[in-house]
Amino acid sequence: ILSNVIPYTIKGTIWYQGESNVSNYNEYQTLFSAMIDNWRETWGYDFPFYYAQLAPYPAEGTLGVREAQRKALESTETTGMAVLMDIGEEDDIHPHNKQDVGKRLARLALFNDYDAGLSPMGPILKSSDLVDSSIRIEFVHTGTQ
């Protein structure tokens, strides 16, 4: 299918899909990053790749996919992830609030590619450490205080 669009120049990619491979979440980061790298190699340049995090849903494996998506954000250049943890549905893996999903994805492109000056994403876990009897958690993309 990519061969039909390869001749055309693209500015970047916005990826939003319901992940049907939650059962093999342990392979997701490798496969997802490889797909992004393959597309960039096929087009011949490192275009931005922005994607929607899998929304919260109680099915087994969804937590693993979200963690793999976070790792892909760290390991794959020129990517951005729209966090959807606050707009998911309790009994539907597809959030009904598509407008906010679209706004968050657009904000990534506006911030990174069009100098719009908007905060691109919500907080993302950077590290956690056990300190005495407490856990110290550090986030990136926390905004201003």
Side-chain angles (χ1 to χ4, degrees), residues 9-95:
T9 301
I10 62 171
K11 175 74 176 175
T13 299
I14 291 181
W15 180 265
Y16 176 71
Q17 74 171 50
E19 305 297 348
S20 63
N21 51 350
V22 294
S23 62
N24 64 333
Y25 65 87
N26 54 337
E27 300 170 350
Y28 186 89
Q29 189 261 322
T30 301
L31 295 172
F32 189 50
S33 293
M35 181 193 77
I36 295 168
D37 291 342
N38 176 264
W39 285 17
R40 290 172 172 168
E41 182 180 317
T42 301
W43 258 280
Y45 57 100
D46 290 335
F47 52 82
F49 194 102
Y50 306 126
Y51 55 94
Q53 180 187 48
L54 188 61
Y57 186 70
E60 187 174 332
T62 56
L63 177 63
V65 169
R66 283 193 300 276
E67 177 65 5
Q69 288 176 308
R70 187 191 63 76
K71 288 179 179 178
L73 180 65
E74 294 173 351
S75 67
T76 310
E77 297 282 326
T78 321
T79 58
M81 181 177 72
V83 176
L84 305 184
M85 293 303 293
D86 61 327
I87 57 175
E89 309 298 327
E90 183 177 335
D91 55 0
D92 188 349
I93 198 165
H94 302 287

Coordinates of all heavy atoms in Angstrom, one line a residue, residues 9-95:
T9 N 5.5 13.7 -1.8 CA 6.2 14.2 -0.6 C 5.3 14.4 0.5 O 4.1 14.8 0.4 CB 6.8 15.6 -1.0 OG1 7.7 15.5 -2.1 CG2 7.6 16.2 0.2
I10 N 5.7 14.1 1.7 CA 4.9 14.3 2.9 C 5.7 15.1 3.9 O 6.9 15.1 4.0 CB 4.5 12.9 3.6 CG1 5.7 12.1 4.1 CG2 3.7 12.1 2.7 CD1 5.4 10.9 4.9
K11 N 5.0 15.9 4.7 CA 5.6 16.7 5.7 C 5.8 15.9 7.0 O 6.8 16.2 7.7 CB 4.6 17.9 6.0 CG 5.0 18.8 7.1 CD 6.2 19.7 6.8 CE 6.5 20.6 7.9 NZ 7.7 21.4 7.7
G12 N 4.9 14.9 7.3 CA 5.1 14.1 8.5 C 3.9 13.2 8.5 O 3.1 13.1 7.6
T13 N 3.9 12.4 9.6 CA 2.8 11.4 9.8 C 2.1 11.6 11.1 O 2.8 11.9 12.1 CB 3.4 10.0 9.8 OG1 4.1 9.8 8.5 CG2 2.4 8.9 10.0
I14 N 0.8 11.5 11.1 CA 0.0 11.4 12.4 C -0.6 10.1 12.4 O -1.3 9.7 11.5 CB -1.0 12.6 12.4 CG1 -0.3 13.9 12.6 CG2 -2.0 12.3 13.6 CD1 -1.2 15.1 12.7
W15 N -0.3 9.3 13.4 CA -0.7 7.9 13.5 C -1.7 7.7 14.6 O -1.4 8.0 15.8 CB 0.5 7.0 13.8 CG 0.3 5.6 13.9 CD1 0.2 4.9 15.1 CD2 0.4 4.6 12.9 NE1 0.1 3.5 14.8 CE2 0.2 3.3 13.5 CE3 0.5 4.7 11.5 CZ2 0.1 2.2 12.7 CZ3 0.5 3.5 10.8 CH2 0.3 2.3 11.4
Y16 N -2.9 7.2 14.3 CA -3.9 7.0 15.3 C -4.6 5.7 14.9 O -5.2 5.6 13.8 CB -4.9 8.1 15.4 CG -6.0 7.8 16.4 CD1 -5.8 7.8 17.7 CD2 -7.3 7.6 15.9 CE1 -6.8 7.5 18.6 CE2 -8.3 7.3 16.8 CZ -8.0 7.3 18.2 OH -9.0 7.0 19.1
Q17 N -4.5 4.7 15.7 CA -5.2 3.4 15.4 C -5.5 2.7 16.8 O -4.8 3.0 17.7 CB -4.4 2.5 14.6 CG -3.2 1.9 15.3 CD -2.5 0.8 14.5 OE1 -2.2 1.1 13.3 NE2 -2.3 -0.4 15.0
G18 N -6.5 1.9 16.7 CA -6.8 1.0 17.8 C -5.8 -0.1 17.7 O -5.7 -0.8 16.7
E19 N -5.0 -0.4 18.7 CA -3.9 -1.4 18.6 C -4.5 -2.8 18.8 O -5.0 -3.1 19.9 CB -2.8 -1.1 19.6 CG -2.2 0.3 19.5 CD -1.5 0.5 18.2 OE1 -1.3 -0.4 17.4 OE2 -1.2 1.7 17.9
S20 N -4.5 -3.6 17.8 CA -5.1 -4.9 17.9 C -4.0 -6.0 18.4 O -4.4 -7.1 18.5 CB -5.6 -5.4 16.5 OG -4.6 -5.4 15.6
N21 N -2.8 -5.5 18.6 CA -1.8 -6.4 19.0 C -1.4 -6.3 20.5 O -0.2 -6.4 20.8 CB -0.5 -6.3 18.1 CG -0.1 -4.8 18.0 OD1 -0.8 -3.9 18.5 ND2 1.1 -4.7 17.4
V22 N -2.4 -6.1 21.4 CA -2.1 -6.0 22.8 C -1.5 -7.3 23.3 O -0.8 -7.4 24.3 CB -3.3 -5.5 23.6 CG1 -3.6 -4.1 23.2 CG2 -4.5 -6.4 23.5
S23 N -1.9 -8.4 22.7 CA -1.4 -9.7 23.1 C 0.1 -9.9 23.0 O 0.7 -10.7 23.7 CB -2.1 -10.9 22.4 OG -1.9 -10.8 21.1
N24 N 0.7 -9.2 22.0 CA 2.2 -9.3 21.9 C 2.8 -7.9 22.2 O 3.7 -7.5 21.5 CB 2.6 -9.8 20.5 CG 2.2 -8.9 19.4 OD1 1.2 -8.1 19.5 ND2 2.9 -8.9 18.3
Y25 N 2.3 -7.3 23.3 CA 2.8 -6.0 23.6 C 4.3 -5.9 23.9 O 5.0 -4.9 23.7 CB 2.1 -5.4 24.9 CG 2.4 -6.3 26.1 CD1 3.5 -6.0 26.9 CD2 1.6 -7.3 26.5 CE1 3.8 -6.7 28.1 CE2 1.8 -8.1 27.6 CZ 2.9 -7.8 28.4 OH 3.2 -8.5 29.5
N26 N 4.9 -7.1 24.3 CA 6.4 -7.1 24.5 C 7.2 -6.9 23.2 O 8.4 -6.6 23.3 CB 6.8 -8.4 25.2 CG 6.3 -9.6 24.5 OD1 5.4 -9.6 23.7 ND2 7.0 -10.7 24.7
E27 N 6.6 -7.1 22.1 CA 7.3 -6.8 20.8 C 6.9 -5.5 20.2 O 7.5 -5.1 19.2 CB 6.9 -7.9 19.8 CG 7.2 -9.3 20.2 CD 6.6 -10.4 19.4 OE1 5.8 -10.1 18.5 OE2 7.0 -11.6 19.5
Y28 N 6.0 -4.8 20.8 CA 5.4 -3.6 20.1 C 6.4 -2.5 19.9 O 6.5 -2.0 18.8 CB 4.2 -3.1 21.0 CG 3.5 -1.9 20.3 CD1 2.5 -2.2 19.5 CD2 3.9 -0.6 20.4 CE1 1.8 -1.1 18.8 CE2 3.3 0.4 19.8 CZ 2.2 0.1 19.0 OH 1.6 1.2 18.3
Q29 N 7.2 -2.2 20.9 CA 8.2 -1.1 20.7 C 9.1 -1.3 19.6 O 9.4 -0.5 18.7 CB 8.9 -0.8 22.0 CG 9.8 0.4 22.0 CD 11.2 0.1 21.7 OE1 11.8 -0.9 22.2 NE2 11.9 1.0 21.0
T30 N 9.7 -2.6 19.5 CA 10.6 -2.9 18.4 C 9.9 -2.8 17.1 O 10.4 -2.2 16.1 CB 11.1 -4.3 18.6 OG1 11.8 -4.4 19.9 CG2 12.1 -4.7 17.5
L31 N 8.7 -3.4 17.0 CA 8.0 -3.4 15.7 C 7.5 -2.0 15.3 O 7.7 -1.6 14.1 CB 6.7 -4.3 15.8 CG 7.0 -5.8 16.0 CD1 5.7 -6.5 16.2 CD2 7.7 -6.3 14.7
F32 N 7.1 -1.2 16.2 CA 6.6 0.2 15.9 C 7.8 1.0 15.5 O 7.7 1.7 14.5 CB 5.9 0.7 17.2 CG 5.2 2.0 17.0 CD1 4.3 2.2 15.9 CD2 5.4 3.1 17.8 CE1 3.6 3.4 15.8 CE2 4.7 4.3 17.7 CZ 3.8 4.4 16.6
S33 N 8.9 1.0 16.2 CA 10.0 1.8 15.8 C 10.6 1.3 14.5 O 11.0 2.2 13.7 CB 11.1 1.7 16.9 OG 10.7 2.3 18.1
A34 N 10.6 0.0 14.2 CA 11.0 -0.5 12.9 C 10.1 0.0 11.8 O 10.6 0.3 10.7 CB 11.1 -2.0 13.0
M35 N 8.8 0.1 12.0 CA 7.9 0.6 11.0 C 8.2 2.0 10.7 O 8.3 2.4 9.5 CB 6.5 0.4 11.4 CG 5.5 0.9 10.4 SD 3.8 1.1 11.0 CE 4.0 2.7 11.9
I36 N 8.4 2.8 11.7 CA 8.7 4.3 11.5 C 10.0 4.4 10.8 O 10.1 5.1 9.8 CB 8.8 5.0 12.9 CG1 7.4 5.0 13.6 CG2 9.3 6.4 12.7 CD1 7.5 5.4 15.0
D37 N 11.1 3.7 11.2 CA 12.3 3.7 10.5 C 12.2 3.3 9.0 O 12.8 3.9 8.1 CB 13.4 2.9 11.2 CG 13.8 3.5 12.5 OD1 13.5 4.7 12.8 OD2 14.3 2.7 13.4
N38 N 11.4 2.2 8.8 CA 11.2 1.7 7.4 C 10.5 2.8 6.5 O 10.9 3.0 5.4 CB 10.4 0.4 7.5 CG 10.1 -0.1 6.1 OD1 9.0 0.2 5.5 ND2 11.0 -0.8 5.5
W39 N 9.5 3.4 7.1 CA 8.8 4.4 6.3 C 9.8 5.6 5.9 O 9.8 6.1 4.8 CB 7.6 5.0 7.1 CG 6.4 4.1 7.1 CD1 6.4 2.7 6.9 CD2 5.1 4.4 7.5 NE1 5.2 2.2 7.1 CE2 4.3 3.2 7.4 CE3 4.5 5.6 7.8 CZ2 3.0 3.2 7.7 CZ3 3.2 5.6 8.1 CH2 2.4 4.4 8.1
R40 N 10.6 6.0 6.9 CA 11.5 7.1 6.6 C 12.6 6.7 5.6 O 12.9 7.5 4.8 CB 12.1 7.5 8.0 CG 11.2 8.2 8.9 CD 11.8 8.5 10.2 NE 10.9 9.3 11.1 CZ 11.1 9.5 12.3 NH1 12.1 8.9 13.0 NH2 10.3 10.2 13.0
E41 N 13.0 5.4 5.7 CA 14.0 5.0 4.7 C 13.4 4.9 3.4 O 14.0 5.3 2.4 CB 14.5 3.6 5.2 CG 15.6 3.0 4.3 CD 16.0 1.6 4.7 OE1 16.2 1.5 5.9 OE2 16.2 0.7 3.9
T42 N 12.1 4.4 3.3 CA 11.4 4.3 2.0 C 11.2 5.7 1.4 O 11.5 5.8 0.2 CB 10.1 3.6 2.2 OG1 10.3 2.3 2.8 CG2 9.4 3.4 0.9
W43 N 10.9 6.7 2.1 CA 10.7 8.0 1.6 C 12.0 8.7 1.4 O 12.1 9.7 0.6 CB 9.8 8.8 2.5 CG 8.4 9.0 2.0 CD1 7.9 9.8 1.0 CD2 7.2 8.2 2.4 NE1 6.6 9.6 0.8 CE2 6.1 8.7 1.7 CE3 7.0 7.2 3.4 CZ2 4.8 8.2 1.8 CZ3 5.8 6.7 3.5 CH2 4.7 7.2 2.8
G44 N 13.0 8.3 2.1 CA 14.3 8.9 2.0 C 14.6 10.1 2.8 O 15.6 10.8 2.6
Y45 N 13.8 10.4 3.9 CA 14.1 11.4 4.8 C 13.4 11.2 6.1 O 12.5 10.4 6.2 CB 13.8 12.8 4.2 CG 12.3 13.0 3.8 CD1 11.4 13.7 4.6 CD2 11.9 12.6 2.5 CE1 10.1 13.8 4.2 CE2 10.6 12.8 2.1 CZ 9.7 13.4 2.9 OH 8.4 13.6 2.5
D46 N 13.9 11.9 7.2 CA 13.4 11.7 8.5 C 12.3 12.7 8.9 O 12.5 13.6 9.6 CB 14.6 11.8 9.6 CG 15.6 10.7 9.5 OD1 15.2 9.6 9.0 OD2 16.7 10.9 9.9
F47 N 11.1 12.4 8.4 CA 10.0 13.2 8.7 C 9.5 13.0 10.1 O 9.7 11.9 10.7 CB 8.9 13.0 7.6 CG 8.5 11.6 7.5 CD1 7.6 11.0 8.3 CD2 9.0 10.8 6.4 CE1 7.2 9.6 8.2 CE2 8.7 9.5 6.2 CZ 7.8 8.9 7.1
P48 N 8.8 14.0 10.7 CA 8.2 13.8 12.0 C 7.1 12.7 12.0 O 6.4 12.6 11.0 CB 7.6 15.1 12.3 CG 8.0 16.1 11.2 CD 8.5 15.3 10.1
F49 N 7.0 12.0 13.1 CA 6.0 10.9 13.2 C 5.4 11.1 14.6 O 6.0 10.9 15.6 CB 6.7 9.5 13.2 CG 5.7 8.4 13.0 CD1 5.6 7.8 11.7 CD2 5.0 7.9 14.0 CE1 4.7 6.8 11.6 CE2 4.1 6.9 13.9 CZ 3.9 6.3 12.6
Y50 N 4.1 11.5 14.6 CA 3.4 11.8 15.8 C 2.3 10.7 15.9 O 1.6 10.4 15.0 CB 2.8 13.2 15.8 CG 3.8 14.2 15.6 CD1 3.7 15.2 14.6 CD2 5.0 14.3 16.4 CE1 4.7 16.1 14.4 CE2 6.0 15.2 16.2 CZ 5.8 16.1 15.1 OH 6.8 17.1 14.9
Y51 N 2.0 10.2 17.2 CA 1.1 9.2 17.3 C 0.3 9.3 18.6 O 0.7 10.0 19.6 CB 1.7 7.8 17.3 CG 2.9 7.6 18.3 CD1 2.6 7.0 19.5 CD2 4.2 8.0 18.0 CE1 3.7 6.8 20.4 CE2 5.2 7.8 18.8 CZ 5.0 7.2 20.1 OH 6.0 7.0 21.0
A52 N -0.9 8.7 18.6 CA -1.8 8.8 19.8 C -1.4 7.6 20.7 O -1.4 6.4 20.2 CB -3.2 8.7 19.4
Q53 N -1.3 7.8 21.9 CA -1.1 6.8 22.9 C -2.4 6.0 23.0 O -3.5 6.5 22.9 CB -0.8 7.4 24.3 CG -0.6 6.4 25.4 CD -0.4 7.0 26.7 OE1 -1.2 7.9 27.1 NE2 0.6 6.6 27.5
L54 N -2.3 4.7 23.2 CA -3.4 3.8 23.4 C -4.2 4.3 24.6 O -3.6 4.5 25.7 CB -3.0 2.4 23.5 CG -4.1 1.3 23.6 CD1 -4.9 1.3 22.3 CD2 -3.5 -0.1 23.8
A55 N -5.5 4.5 24.4 CA -6.3 5.0 25.5 C -6.4 4.0 26.6 O -6.3 2.8 26.4 CB -7.7 5.5 25.0
P56 N -6.7 4.4 27.9 CA -6.9 3.5 28.9 C -8.1 2.5 28.7 O -9.1 3.0 28.3 CB -7.1 4.3 30.2 CG -7.5 5.7 29.7 CD -6.9 5.8 28.3
Y57 N -7.9 1.3 29.0 CA -8.9 0.3 28.8 C -8.5 -0.9 29.6 O -7.3 -1.2 29.6 CB -9.0 -0.1 27.3 CG -10.1 -1.0 26.9 CD1 -11.5 -0.6 27.0 CD2 -9.9 -2.3 26.6 CE1 -12.5 -1.4 26.7 CE2 -10.9 -3.1 26.2 CZ -12.2 -2.7 26.3 OH -13.3 -3.5 26.0
P58 N -9.4 -1.6 30.3 CA -9.0 -2.6 31.2 C -8.5 -4.0 30.6 O -8.2 -4.9 31.3 CB -10.2 -2.8 32.1 CG -11.4 -2.4 31.2 CD -10.8 -1.3 30.3
A59 N -8.5 -4.1 29.2 CA -8.1 -5.3 28.6 C -6.6 -5.6 28.9 O -5.8 -4.7 29.0 CB -8.3 -5.3 27.1
E60 N -6.3 -6.9 29.0 CA -4.9 -7.3 29.3 C -4.0 -6.9 28.1 O -4.4 -7.1 27.0 CB -4.9 -8.8 29.4 CG -3.5 -9.4 29.9 CD -3.5 -10.8 30.2 OE1 -4.6 -11.4 30.5 OE2 -2.5 -11.5 30.0
G61 N -2.9 -6.4 28.4 CA -1.9 -6.0 27.4 C -1.9 -4.5 27.1 O -1.0 -4.0 26.5
T62 N -3.0 -3.8 27.4 CA -3.0 -2.4 27.0 C -2.0 -1.5 27.8 O -1.4 -0.6 27.2 CB -4.4 -1.7 27.2 OG1 -4.8 -1.9 28.6 CG2 -5.5 -2.4 26.3
L63 N -1.8 -1.9 29.0 CA -0.7 -1.2 29.8 C 0.6 -1.4 29.1 O 1.5 -0.5 29.0 CB -0.7 -1.6 31.2 CG 0.4 -1.0 32.1 CD1 0.2 0.5 32.2 CD2 0.3 -1.7 33.5
G64 N 0.9 -2.6 28.7 CA 2.1 -3.0 28.0 C 2.3 -2.2 26.7 O 3.5 -1.8 26.4
V65 N 1.3 -2.1 26.0 CA 1.4 -1.3 24.7 C 1.7 0.2 25.0 O 2.5 0.8 24.4 CB 0.1 -1.4 23.9 CG1 0.1 -0.5 22.7 CG2 0.0 -2.9 23.3
R66 N 1.0 0.7 26.0 CA 1.3 2.1 26.4 C 2.7 2.3 26.8 O 3.4 3.3 26.4 CB 0.3 2.6 27.5 CG -1.1 2.9 26.9 CD -1.9 3.7 27.9 NE -2.1 3.0 29.2 CZ -3.1 2.1 29.4 NH1 -3.9 1.7 28.4 NH2 -3.2 1.5 30.6
E67 N 3.2 1.4 27.6 CA 4.6 1.5 28.0 C 5.6 1.4 26.8 O 6.6 2.1 26.7 CB 5.0 0.4 29.0 CG 6.4 0.4 29.5 CD 6.9 1.6 30.2 OE1 6.1 2.5 30.5 OE2 8.1 1.7 30.5
A68 N 5.2 0.5 25.9 CA 6.0 0.3 24.6 C 6.0 1.6 23.8 O 7.0 2.0 23.2 CB 5.5 -0.9 23.8
Q69 N 4.8 2.2 23.7 CA 4.7 3.5 23.0 C 5.6 4.6 23.6 O 6.2 5.3 22.9 CB 3.3 3.9 22.9 CG 2.4 3.1 22.0 CD 1.0 3.5 22.0 OE1 0.3 3.6 23.1 NE2 0.4 3.7 20.8
R70 N 5.6 4.6 25.0 CA 6.5 5.6 25.7 C 7.9 5.3 25.4 O 8.7 6.2 25.1 CB 6.2 5.5 27.2 CG 7.0 6.6 27.9 CD 6.9 6.4 29.4 NE 7.6 5.1 29.8 CZ 8.9 5.0 29.9 NH1 9.7 6.0 29.6 NH2 9.5 3.8 30.3
K71 N 8.3 4.0 25.3 CA 9.7 3.7 25.0 C 10.1 4.0 23.6 O 11.2 4.5 23.3 CB 10.0 2.2 25.3 CG 10.0 1.8 26.8 CD 10.2 0.4 27.0 CE 10.3 0.0 28.4 NZ 10.4 -1.4 28.7
A72 N 9.1 3.8 22.7 CA 9.4 4.2 21.3 C 9.6 5.7 21.2 O 10.4 6.2 20.4 CB 8.2 3.8 20.4
L73 N 8.9 6.5 22.0 CA 9.1 7.9 22.0 C 10.5 8.3 22.3 O 11.1 9.2 21.8 CB 8.1 8.5 23.0 CG 8.1 10.0 23.2 CD1 7.7 10.8 21.9 CD2 7.2 10.4 24.3
E74 N 11.1 7.5 23.3 CA 12.5 7.8 23.7 C 13.5 7.3 22.7 O 14.6 7.8 22.6 CB 12.7 7.1 25.1 CG 11.9 7.7 26.2 CD 12.0 6.9 27.5 OE1 12.6 5.8 27.5 OE2 11.6 7.4 28.5
S75 N 13.2 6.1 22.1 CA 14.2 5.5 21.3 C 14.2 5.8 19.8 O 15.1 5.5 19.0 CB 14.1 4.0 21.4 OG 12.9 3.5 20.8
T76 N 13.1 6.5 19.3 CA 13.0 6.8 17.9 C 13.0 8.3 17.7 O 12.2 9.0 18.3 CB 11.7 6.2 17.4 OG1 11.6 4.8 17.8 CG2 11.6 6.2 15.9
E77 N 13.9 8.8 16.9 CA 14.1 10.2 16.7 C 12.9 10.8 16.1 O 12.1 10.2 15.3 CB 15.3 10.4 15.7 CG 16.6 9.9 16.2 CD 17.2 10.9 17.2 OE1 17.0 12.1 17.1 OE2 17.9 10.4 18.2
T78 N 12.7 12.1 16.3 CA 11.6 13.0 15.7 C 10.3 12.4 15.8 O 9.5 12.2 14.8 CB 12.0 13.3 14.3 OG1 13.4 13.5 14.2 CG2 11.3 14.6 13.8
T79 N 9.9 12.0 17.0 CA 8.6 11.4 17.3 C 7.9 12.2 18.4 O 8.6 12.9 19.2 CB 8.6 9.9 17.7 OG1 9.4 9.8 18.9 CG2 9.1 9.0 16.6
G80 N 6.6 12.1 18.5 CA 5.8 12.8 19.6 C 4.6 11.9 19.8 O 4.1 11.2 18.9
M81 N 4.2 11.9 21.1 CA 3.0 11.1 21.5 C 2.0 11.9 22.2 O 2.3 12.6 23.1 CB 3.5 10.0 22.5 CG 2.4 9.0 22.9 SD 3.1 7.7 24.0 CE 3.4 8.6 25.5
A82 N 0.8 11.8 21.7 CA -0.4 12.5 22.4 C -0.9 11.6 23.4 O -1.3 10.4 23.2 CB -1.5 12.8 21.3
V83 N -0.8 12.0 24.7 CA -1.3 11.2 25.8 C -2.8 11.3 25.9 O -3.4 12.4 25.8 CB -0.6 11.8 27.1 CG1 -1.2 11.0 28.3 CG2 0.9 11.7 27.0
L84 N -3.4 10.1 26.0 CA -4.9 10.0 26.0 C -5.4 9.4 27.3 O -6.6 9.0 27.4 CB -5.3 9.1 24.9 CG -4.9 9.5 23.5 CD1 -5.5 8.6 22.4 CD2 -5.2 11.0 23.2
M85 N -4.6 9.4 28.4 CA -5.0 8.8 29.6 C -6.3 9.4 30.3 O -7.0 8.7 31.0 CB -3.9 8.8 30.6 CG -2.7 8.0 30.2 SD -3.1 6.3 29.9 CE -3.5 5.7 31.6
D86 N -6.6 10.6 30.0 CA -7.7 11.3 30.6 C -9.0 11.3 29.7 O -10.0 11.8 30.1 CB -7.4 12.7 31.0 CG -7.0 13.6 29.8 OD1 -6.4 13.0 28.9 OD2 -7.2 14.8 29.8
I87 N -8.9 10.7 28.5 CA -10.1 10.8 27.6 C -10.6 9.5 27.1 O -11.3 9.4 26.2 CB -9.9 11.8 26.5 CG1 -8.7 11.4 25.6 CG2 -9.8 13.2 26.9 CD1 -8.6 12.3 24.4
G88 N -10.2 8.4 27.8 CA -10.6 7.1 27.4 C -12.0 6.8 27.9 O -12.5 7.5 28.8
E89 N -12.5 5.7 27.4 CA -13.9 5.2 27.9 C -13.7 3.9 28.7 O -12.8 3.1 28.4 CB -14.7 4.9 26.7 CG -14.8 6.0 25.6 CD -15.4 7.3 26.2 OE1 -16.3 7.2 27.0 OE2 -15.0 8.3 25.7
E90 N -14.4 3.8 29.7 CA -14.3 2.6 30.6 C -14.5 1.3 29.9 O -13.9 0.3 30.2 CB -15.3 2.8 31.8 CG -15.1 1.7 32.8 CD -16.0 1.8 34.0 OE1 -16.4 3.0 34.3 OE2 -16.4 0.8 34.6
D91 N -15.5 1.3 29.0 CA -15.9 0.0 28.4 C -15.7 0.0 26.8 O -16.3 -0.7 26.1 CB -17.3 -0.4 28.8 CG -18.3 0.7 28.5 OD1 -17.9 1.8 28.0 OD2 -19.5 0.5 28.8
D92 N -14.9 1.0 26.3 CA -14.7 1.0 24.9 C -13.2 1.5 24.7 O -12.8 2.6 25.1 CB -15.6 2.0 24.2 CG -15.6 2.0 22.7 OD1 -14.7 1.4 22.1 OD2 -16.5 2.6 22.1
I93 N -12.4 0.7 23.9 CA -11.0 1.1 23.7 C -10.8 2.3 22.9 O -9.8 2.9 22.9 CB -10.3 -0.1 23.2 CG1 -8.7 0.0 23.4 CG2 -10.6 -0.4 21.7 CD1 -7.9 -1.2 23.2
H94 N -11.9 2.7 22.1 CA -11.8 3.9 21.3 C -12.5 5.0 22.0 O -13.7 5.0 22.2 CB -12.5 3.6 19.9 CG -11.9 2.4 19.2 ND1 -10.7 2.4 18.6 CD2 -12.4 1.1 19.0 CE1 -10.4 1.3 18.1 NE2 -11.4 0.4 18.3
P95 N -11.7 6.1 22.3 CA -12.3 7.2 23.0 C -13.3 7.9 22.1 O -13.1 8.0 20.9 CB -11.1 8.2 23.2 CG -9.9 7.4 22.9 CD -10.2 6.2 22.1

